[in-house]
Amino acid sequence: MDRLERATRLDPQNAQTMLMLAGTRAGRRQYAVADSLFDRTIALEPDSPDAYWEKSANLLSWRGSVTEARAIVAGIPGQSTDSRLFADSWYDLFDRDFAAAADKLGRTDPAQLTSARARAEYYELYGDVLRRLGRTDESRRVYERGVETILAEQARTSAPRQASEGLAVLHAYLGDEAEARRFMQESRDARPDDRFYAVQGLFGDAVVEMLLGDQDAAIDIIASLLEWEYFMPLSVNDLRLDPVWDPLRDHPRFQQLLADHAES
């Protein structure tokens, strides 16, 4: 942190250093300071999407305002139609407008999304939304198509960790415990020893444990994620807003976590 602070003082026009400082502040849950730094980054480099995405996530964690977070991402210059539809479907999910999310995801071409992680999330999200709408057969076909697509991508790229995270979650949604746990372990084995940037793989681990029925294991992971400092950290507002955690809502330990870590 001290080095980043010093670097931004020496070169206040360096947008990348400013973004790293903003992300570090957000990782420490210093939300208001981080928000100001994200604004300074956007002013320096208005065409780069990363600061918008991180500012949106920071606002969601800080204020729990889906409207504010949605508006930030909508303002990213030069977004492709597919990226815009996919992003907006996340905020529909947080608003529990599953029909709107399904409509947007149905018009999104996942092949046009910009990262392996985003493509895996597309299949996870679309399958879950369809399931919530009672379209069970369609949901299963989406999960299965996601597995096929990600396996093909894994075979031709050098980013197996991101692929394994997505495959673990998709197999868990399909109820295939053996494959879900195999890919979860593969993902864990490939993660770098980096507490700040590599922690996000644990989100997927928590989802897998929850979907496979081990709620206490999922809650153990969530409890750690609420304590640690890391890139784009989990917050109580995230847990309250994201429907993915609905199976845990009646669990006394989950309710206690929300109470113990309530944002001031």
Side-chain angles (χ1 to χ4, degrees), residues 220-241:
D220 286 343
I221 295 170
I222 292 168
S224 295
L225 290 172
L226 287 171
E227 293 285 350
W228 295 342
E229 296 177 353
Y230 53 94
F231 182 66
M232 295 176 73
L234 189 68
S235 76
V236 166
N237 283 327
D238 298 321
L239 293 169
R240 286 176 172 155
L241 286 167

Side-chain angles (χ1 to χ4, degrees), residues 2 6 34 74 81 88 113 121 125 127 131 160-161 194 213 259 261:
D2 290 342
R6 188 160 53 250
T81 298
D88 212 37
L113 299 177
E121 287 175 346
L125 181 58
R131 180 184 60 81
R161 178 173 64 88
D194 181 343
H261 293 270

Side-chain angles (χ1 to χ4, degrees), residues 176-193:
D176 188 341
E177 180 170 1
E179 286 296 273
R181 293 200 178 280
R182 180 171 77 85
F183 281 112
M184 181 168 66
Q185 188 59 53
E186 186 177 286
S187 170
R188 288 173 172 172
D189 291 343
R191 288 172 199 163
D193 185 18

Side-chain angles (χ1 to χ4, degrees), residues 22-235:
T24 303
R25 290 289 190 183
R28 294 187 172 187
R29 297 179 175 84
Q30 297 169 352
Y31 300 123
V33 174
D35 187 63
S36 175
L37 292 167
F38 286 129
D39 285 341
R40 290 172 63 185
T41 305
I42 291 168
L44 290 169
E45 200 168 81
D47 293 332
S48 178
D50 291 346
Y52 294 86
W53 281 111
E54 292 183 39
K55 177 179 171 69
S56 174
N58 185 65
L59 279 171
L60 205 61
S61 295
W62 178 21
R63 297 176 181 163
S65 173
V66 177
T67 300
E68 287 182 282
R70 188 195 296 263
I72 296 299
V73 170
I76 298 176
Q79 281 190 97
S80 70
T81 298
D82 295 291
S83 293
R84 179 178 51 78
L85 287 169
F86 179 56
D88 212 37
S89 69
W90 275 106
Y91 301 110
D92 290 331
L93 184 76
F94 295 149
D95 279 334
R96 295 184 176 265
D97 190 344
F98 302 124
D103 173 69
K104 288 168 185 167
L105 290 165
R107 292 186 282 127
T108 301
D109 178 1
Q112 301 305 312
L113 299 177
T114 57
S115 70
R117 181 63 250 175
R119 289 185 286 277
E121 287 175 346
Y122 166 85
Y123 291 107
E124 296 166 22
L125 181 58
Y126 195 17
D128 187 41
V129 166
L130 291 172
R131 180 184 60 81
R132 291 174 186 277
L133 292 171
R135 295 159 62 179
T136 309
D137 291 342
E138 291 177 80
S139 171
R140 186 170 187 86
R141 286 196 294 273
V142 167
Y143 292 139
E144 290 171 343
R145 188 163 68 250
V147 169
E148 293 170 3
T149 301
I150 296 168
L151 281 173
E153 183 167 341
Q154 186 180 43
R156 66 175 185 269
T157 67
S158 59
R161 178 173 64 88
Q162 292 87 342
S164 296
E165 289 171 12
L167 287 166
V169 174
L170 289 167
H171 277 294
Y173 273 119
L174 287 166
D176 188 341
E177 180 170 1
E179 286 296 273
R181 293 200 178 280
R182 180 171 77 85
F183 281 112
M184 181 168 66
Q185 188 59 53
E186 186 177 286
S187 170
R188 288 173 172 172
D189 291 343
R191 288 172 199 163
D193 185 18
D194 181 343
R195 175 62 69 87
F196 194 76
Y197 287 105
V199 169
Q200 287 196 327
L202 291 173
F203 288 98
D205 293 354
V207 172
V208 169
E209 296 289 6
M210 178 187 71
L211 293 173
L212 296 179
D214 195 339
Q215 293 190 338
D216 281 313
I219 291 169
D220 286 343
I221 295 170
I222 292 168
S224 295
L225 290 172
L226 287 171
E227 293 285 350
W228 295 342
E229 296 177 353
Y230 53 94
F231 182 66
M232 295 176 73
L234 189 68
S235 76

